[in-house]
């Protein structure tokens, strides 16, 4: 009988501890320690010539992949605009060199926060113009 009471008391203590830990881990961030969720994403539209659809389908995902590499995952807790822009500049330069006929634009957006409190800021826009149309006729 005594062992049964001891086991029940221990079980009640463990349950109370689990509930307390669960409640405190879900509480809001009222202490203002500056932690924040920041995401960088690419959005836009690129038109590609016939026969280049496969590469064109990867145009914007290439930006997102480069940004995930700079962030070290899907989000970060500090603004790293310079690193993101550097990674995206490399993607843009490669795509322009390999696909000069693409037309459109890609915006790189920084999202601060989550839910209703989220703000979005365009940190850079990449413009694609058809290089063949830009060259003067001889």
């Amino acid at each position: 009988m005594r062992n049964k009471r001891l086991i029940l008391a221990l079980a009640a203590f463990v349950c109370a501890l689990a509930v307390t830990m669960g409640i405190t881990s879900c509480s809001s961030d009222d202490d203002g320690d500056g932690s924040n969720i920041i995401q960088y994403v690419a959005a836009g539209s690129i038109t590609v010539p016939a026969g280049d659809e496969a590469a064109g389908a990867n145009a914007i995902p290439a930006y997102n992949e480069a940004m995930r590499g700079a962030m070290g995952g899907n989000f970060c807790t500090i603004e790293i605009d310079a690193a993101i822009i550097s990674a995206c500049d490399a993607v843009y330069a490669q795509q322009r060199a390999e696909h000069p006929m693409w037309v459109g634009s890609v915006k790189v957006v920084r999202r601060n926060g989550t839910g209703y409190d989220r703000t979005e800021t365009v940190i850079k826009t990449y413009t694609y113009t058809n290089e063949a149309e830009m060259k003067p006729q001889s």
Side-chain angles (χ1 to χ4, degrees), residues 53-78:
E53 293 89 356
N58 192 42
I60 294 174
Y63 282 93
N64 287 318
E65 183 177 329
M67 288 186 284
R68 276 192 300 276
M71 288 185 287
N74 292 325
F75 66 91
C76 52
T77 56
I78 60 171

Side-chain angles (χ1 to χ4, degrees), residues 65-103:
E65 183 177 329
M67 288 186 284
R68 276 192 300 276
M71 288 185 287
N74 292 325
F75 66 91
C76 52
T77 56
I78 60 171
E79 291 182 6
I80 55 169
D81 292 3
I84 294 295
I85 289 172
S86 178
C88 291
D89 284 349
V91 171
Y92 178 75
Q94 179 182 1
Q95 289 181 350
R96 293 308 297 148
E98 294 175 2
H99 308 282
M101 305 289 280
W102 287 1
V103 176

Side-chain angles (χ1 to χ4, degrees), residues 14 23 42 60 72 106 113 117 119 125 136:
V14 170
I23 290 171
I60 294 174
V106 175
D117 295 333
T119 60
T125 300

